[in-house]
């Protein structure tokens, strides 16, 4: 968004009065035990500063909102490089910057987020899980959803016939149903032969389970510096194994030796 658009929005934005309860909620929402900001102030200093300081903070924030001015002094942050745990420690590209913002700016951010979230949630996609309260990206990582697609006809070939037959045409409301050689049904890819159905189902399960396992990497399910083995195994049994073994009843034993 360019400067002109931001300025136009701010000109039509009604000045908001912030009550004392909102400021107290903002102070309590900030995690304790974190690093001090560039001014050497931590959230504990504000939290235990007393009621008089909160009243002063209340007047200060409302004055900034009324004048629509954010002082440059609170726009500064304390930048610290953090190693990414991979690559050469002597190479700057393997570091990421962590900026500790001033405590006052975090309080203002909480207040503004209340207004922004009320409007953004109405426009936000229902599939958006990250940066959303009371949910997690993990909730969207393993979603089993039956998609209602247009019905198709699959001409299943009997195993005792070597020559394939012409497909049967089926009509619904005088409209011919499309013919396909593969279509999902209850999470299983059905095909024209039993062998093709087995191959497609196994390939699909491996792909989905691999994707599910990769989504758990950020939660610590990896080898180095990750979760303990018992927890990792439990995550695998809960989220990965059911996908990997889903629909295996379509795999029929055969007397033929694998090639």
């Amino acid at each position: 968004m360019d400067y002109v658009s931001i300025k136009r929005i701010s000109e039509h934005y009604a000045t908001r009065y912030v009550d004392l309860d909102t400021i107290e909620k903002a102070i309590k929402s900030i995690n304790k035990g974190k690093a001090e900001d560039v001014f050497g102030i931590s959230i504990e200093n504000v939290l235990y500063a007393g009621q008089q300081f909160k009243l002063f903070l209340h007047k200060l924030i409302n004055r900034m909102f009324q004048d629509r001015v954010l002082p440059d002094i609170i726009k500064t942050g304390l930048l610290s490089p953090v190693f990414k745990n991979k690559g050469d420690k002597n190479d700057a590209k393997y570091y990421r910057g962590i900026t500790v913002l001033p405590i006052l700016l975090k309080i203002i951010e909480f207040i503004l987020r209340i207004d922004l979230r009320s409007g953004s949630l109405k426009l936000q996609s229902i599939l958006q899980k990250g940066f959303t309260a009371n949910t997690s990206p993990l909730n969207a990582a393993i979603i089993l959803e039956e998609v209602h697609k247009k019905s198709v006809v699959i001409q299943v070939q009997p195993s005792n016939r070597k020559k394939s037959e012409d497909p049967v045409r089926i009509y619904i409301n005088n409209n011919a149903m499309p013919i396909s050689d593969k279509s999902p049904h209850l999470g299983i890819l059905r095909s024209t032969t039993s062998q093709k159905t087995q191959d497609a189902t196994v390939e699909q399960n491996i792909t989905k389970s691999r994707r599910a396992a990769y989504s758990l990497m950020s939660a610590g399910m990896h080898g180095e510096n990750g979760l303990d083995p018992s927890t990792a195994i439990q995550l695998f049994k809960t989220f990965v194994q059911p996908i990997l073994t889903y629909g295996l009843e379509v795999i029929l034993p055969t007397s033929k030796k694998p090639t």
Side-chain angles (χ1 to χ4, degrees), residues 103-118:
I103 298 299
L104 179 57
L105 192 61
K106 291 183 178 180
I107 296 174
I108 296 175
E109 179 184 344
F110 176 87
I111 298 170
L112 294 176
R113 189 163 60 241
I114 296 176
D115 294 339
L116 293 175
R117 292 305 294 168
S118 60

Side-chain angles (χ1 to χ4, degrees), residues 26-28 30-35 41-48 103 107:
I27 295 174
K28 294 179 180 179
I30 302 176
N31 295 329
K32 296 184 286 293
K34 300 298 182 179
I41 300 175
S42 64
I43 186 58
E44 285 80 5
N45 297 127
V46 179
L47 191 61
Y48 303 111
I103 298 299
I107 296 174

Side-chain angles (χ1 to χ4, degrees), residues 147-161:
V147 181
H148 297 279
K149 295 184 178 180
K150 189 176 181 180
S151 299
V152 297
V153 175
I154 299 178
Q155 186 71 22
V156 179
Q157 300 294 335
S159 58
N160 58 351
R161 296 183 184 179

Side-chain angles (χ1 to χ4, degrees), residues 109-157:
E109 179 184 344
F110 176 87
I111 298 170
L112 294 176
R113 189 163 60 241
I114 296 176
D115 294 339
L116 293 175
R117 292 305 294 168
S118 60
S120 62
L121 284 176
K122 299 177 182 178
L123 304 175
Q124 179 175 298
S125 171
I126 59 174
L127 300 178
Q128 171 69 31
K129 301 299 180 182
F131 302 100
T132 305
N134 302 323
T135 186
S136 167
L138 189 60
N139 297 338
I142 312 169
I143 297 179
L144 299 178
E145 182 179 291
E146 187 66 28
V147 181
H148 297 279
K149 295 184 178 180
K150 189 176 181 180
S151 299
V152 297
V153 175
I154 299 178
Q155 186 71 22
V156 179
Q157 300 294 335

